[in-house]
Every structure is written in structure tokens, then in C-alpha cells.
């Protein structure tokens, strides 16, 4: 295979089974974007504290009706009781939205209830009792502003081991970033530690540069001037939008399935569901046809 064809094949492979993210408020946006999202695509429904369970359930129900796979988020530290977890799982199960879930510790520094982290939810055994067959967990290639690297690795290994012990399928969804270097290094470390589950690399969909930087600051993602230029925009020029073309291209160039295992893309829709889904569809078609 020529270098150009191999390059196109690597990019095409990354666009197999991409996943997207939405909030409970985005039901109308999901309906508007549905024509550009392939059936069977995973759509993560985030857990925002200013949204109700009813809103999250409605979003998951809509995704299911559109022949998509809802992946509701469960935020461990925001759950105030066992009863609240049961109520959440029961409501999601009623609309067929507990096959896949994403379990994360959550932002509160002090848990609201009995669950200190994602591992405690996995260990509860309640997920399987409500039909959960796959659990996604979080990965942090760029680190976490409030959690040490050692603790992140310990937690990741413990969650992966617990899912394997329970015979529950799992994958890792990473934070988004602007630099491929730490992503590749982190994936290699994951594999070195014996964790073989699929990884979905977080990528911001096309969005305004100001918005991207605002989210980067919120989630502790490094955005030095050098990293920004490498991604394709300048911190000193905040006008316009930026897309992940360059990032995805470099990622595809550097991935080796024999070393890095199964890698997919997870899009954070900071610029909107429709904008992101249209960009994904156009990019997938372009790389499939070899126009890039």
C-alpha cells in the first residue's frame, strides 16, 4: 500500500464509530442534526447540575428513538443517596438507556452522598442490575488540575480491573486536548499497564476560538501559545473558529494498531451538535474518497 493510501486508511479507521456529546437541553439540536449522524452512533448525555433527571432522560429517549445509542453520564459525587442512584437508573432503564453508561467521579470536592468516585459506583453492583452492559470511564492524557498523576493511574487501573472482574465491557473516553504528543504517550502508558479496552480520544468539534479556550481553562487543558499554534490557531488572535483537522491528521499518522490497540474519536460539541456532526460527516467522506 502506498504512503498516501495508508494515510487515508488510518484517517478512515479513526472515523469508524465516532461518538458525540450532548446535554439535556440539546434535544431540539439533536433532532436537527440527526440526518448527519449515522444510525447506531453513541451519543453521550452529560450530567449538568443545572439540568434535571427528566431532562437527561428525555435526551436519552430522543437518542434512542433516532436509532442512536444513548450513553448517559453518572456523576458519582453528585448522587445524594442510594435511592437517587436507583431512581436515576430506573428512569433511564424505562426508556432503554442503560445498556451503555459513562461513569465519572464528578466535580464536587466533597461528595454529596455515599459515592466518592466512579469506582464506588462500579463496585455497587447496581449498574448490572439495571441492564448496564458497557461502562465508559474517564482518561486524562493532559492530567487533572486537582488530582495527581499517580492517583489517576491507580484509579484507572482499579476501574479497569473491577470491570474485568465483573465481566462488564468497558472503554475509556479521554478529556479533549490540542496536542497529540501527550495523547500518544498516555495511550502507550495505558497499554504498558495491561489495559486493553478501547480508547475514545476526546476531540473538540469546530468552534469559536474564544469558546475553545474557555472550555480548556474550565477543564484544566493546557493551551500554551506553542500548543495552540500546533493545533492551528493563535492565542493572540481570538477571532474565527478552529477545527480538529490538524490534530486528527497527526493522530492518525502516529497510531499503530499493533501498539495502541483500538482507538476511536469522541467529539465534544462545543460549537454545536449540528456543526460538529456535519463536520464529521464531511471529513469522513473526504478521507474515505481520498481527497485529503
Amino acid at each position: 500500500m502506498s504512503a498516501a493510501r495508508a494515510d487515508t486508511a488510518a484517517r478512515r479507521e479513526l472515523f469508524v464509530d465516532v461518538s458525540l456529546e450532548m446535554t439535556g437541553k440539546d434535544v431540539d439540536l439533536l433532532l436537527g442534526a440527526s440526518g448527519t449522524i449515522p444510525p447506531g452512533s453513541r451519543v453521550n448525555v452529560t450530567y449538568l447540575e443545572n439540568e434535571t433527571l427528566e431532562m437527561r432522560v428525555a435526551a436519552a429517549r430522543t437518542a434512542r428513538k433516532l436509532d442512536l445509542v444513548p450513553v448517559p453520564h453518572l456523576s458519582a459525587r453528585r448522587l445524594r443517596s442510594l435511592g437517587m442512584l436507583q431512581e436515576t437508573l430506573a428512569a433511564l432503564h424505562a426508556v432503554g438507556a442503560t445498556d451503555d453508561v459513562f461513569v465519572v467521579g464528578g466535580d464536587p470536592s466533597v461528595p454529596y452522598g455515599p459515592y466518592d468516585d466512579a469506582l464506588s459506583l462500579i463496585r455497587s453492583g447496581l449498574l448490572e442490575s439495571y441492564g448496564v452492559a458497557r461502562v465508559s470511564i474517564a482518561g486524562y492524557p493532559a492530567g487533572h488540575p486537582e488530582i495527581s498523576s499517580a492517583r489517576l493511574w491507580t484509579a484507572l487501573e482499579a476501574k479497569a480491573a473491577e470491570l474485568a472482574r465483573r465481566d462488564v465491557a468497558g472503554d475509556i473516553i479521554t478529556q479533549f486536548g490540542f496536542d497529540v504528543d501527550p495523547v500518544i504517550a498516555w495511550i502507550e502508558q495505558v497499554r504498558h499497564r495491561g489495559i486493553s479496552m478501547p480508547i475514545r480520544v476526546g476531540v473538540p468539534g469546530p468552534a469559536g476560538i474564544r469558546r475553545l479556550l474557555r472550555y480548556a481553562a474550565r477543564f484544566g487543558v493546557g493551551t500554551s501559545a506553542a500548543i495552540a499554534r500546533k493545533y492551528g490557531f493563535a492565542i493572540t488572535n481570538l477571532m474565527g473558529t478552529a477545527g480538529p483537522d490538524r490534530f486528527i491528521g497527526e493522530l492518525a499518522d502516529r497510531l499503530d494498531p499493533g501498539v495502541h490497540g483500538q482507538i476511536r474519536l469522541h467529539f465534544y460539541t462545543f460549537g454545536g451538535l449540528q456543526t460538529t456532526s456535519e463536520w464529521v460527516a464531511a471529513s469522513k467522506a473526504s478521507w474515505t474518497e481520498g481527497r485529503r
Side-chain angles (χ1 to χ4, degrees):
M1 182 182 294
S2 70
R5 290 180 62 189
D7 186 59
T8 298
R11 285 160 170 74
R12 184 169 59 243
E13 181 67 20
L14 272 182
F15 277 89
V16 172
D17 186 31
V18 304
S19 51
L20 301 165
E21 197 148 302
M22 68 177 293
T23 74
K25 298 185 182 77
D26 291 341
V27 169
D28 288 342
L29 298 178
L30 181 63
L31 290 168
S34 60
T36 56
I37 304 175
S41 296
R42 290 158 57 99
V43 179
N44 284 36
V45 181
T46 61
Y47 193 118
L48 299 182
E49 203 153 25
N50 62 353
E51 294 181 349
T52 65
L53 173 59
E54 290 73 22
M55 293 171 70
R56 292 188 285 274
V57 170
R61 182 193 300 114
T62 301
R64 179 64 71 192
K65 287 182 177 179
L66 293 171
D67 199 21
L68 305 172
V69 179
V71 184
H73 289 201
L74 300 175
S75 180
R77 293 184 181 183
R78 290 191 172 96
L79 292 166
R80 298 183 181 276
S81 65
L82 167 63
M84 185 177 180
L85 174 58
Q86 291 173 319
E87 178 189 12
T88 299
L89 290 170
L92 292 167
H93 186 264
V95 298
T98 52
D99 291 345
D100 295 73
V101 298
F102 175 74
V103 179
V104 66
D107 294 332
S109 56
V110 177
Y112 296 167
Y115 304 107
D116 184 58
D117 52 23
L119 183 60
S120 62
L121 286 189
I122 296 170
R123 283 177 171 165
S124 73
L126 281 174
L127 302 182
E128 298 99 307
S129 68
Y130 283 91
V132 173
R134 176 179 293 275
V135 175
S136 297
I137 55 178
Y140 299 92
H144 191 290
E146 297 179 8
I147 306 175
S148 70
S149 176
R151 284 181 59 200
L152 288 174
W153 283 117
T154 298
L156 185 66
E157 290 175 323
K159 287 180 284 189
E162 185 66 16
L163 289 173
R165 188 182 74 80
R166 292 179 171 277
D167 197 26
V168 174
D171 59 25
I172 305 170
I173 302 176
T174 79
Q175 69 196 142
F176 74 93
F178 301 117
D179 189 358
V180 172
D181 288 343
V183 173
I184 292 292
W186 181 85
I187 292 172
E188 290 174 354
Q189 184 64 235
V190 170
R191 301 313 186 206
H192 177 73
R193 291 170 181 264
I195 301 172
S196 59
M197 64 177 61
I199 295 171
R200 292 180 175 270
V201 174
V203 179
I209 294 171
R210 288 182 185 275
R211 175 171 291 187
L212 286 175
L213 292 176
R214 185 165 66 247
Y215 277 104
R218 176 180 172 185
F219 294 116
V221 176
T223 52
S224 70
I227 289 174
R229 283 197 303 272
K230 188 174 181 181
Y231 189 79
F233 66 88
I235 291 178
T236 54
N237 181 8
L238 303 183
M239 302 301 292
T241 63
D245 308 64
R246 188 179 299 183
F247 178 94
I248 292 172
E250 184 181 349
L251 181 66
D253 290 343
R254 296 175 60 179
L255 286 174
D256 178 351
V259 174
H260 303 114
Q262 182 177 308
I263 308 297
R264 297 291 185 259
L265 299 176
H266 176 75
F267 284 88
Y268 293 91
T269 56
F270 302 140
L273 261 171
Q274 186 155 353
T275 298
T276 300
S277 62
E278 288 175 350
W279 185 94
V280 170
S283 296
K284 181 178 181 179
S286 179
W287 273 320
T288 297
E289 296 166 9
R291 297 199 305 268
R292 294 195 183 191

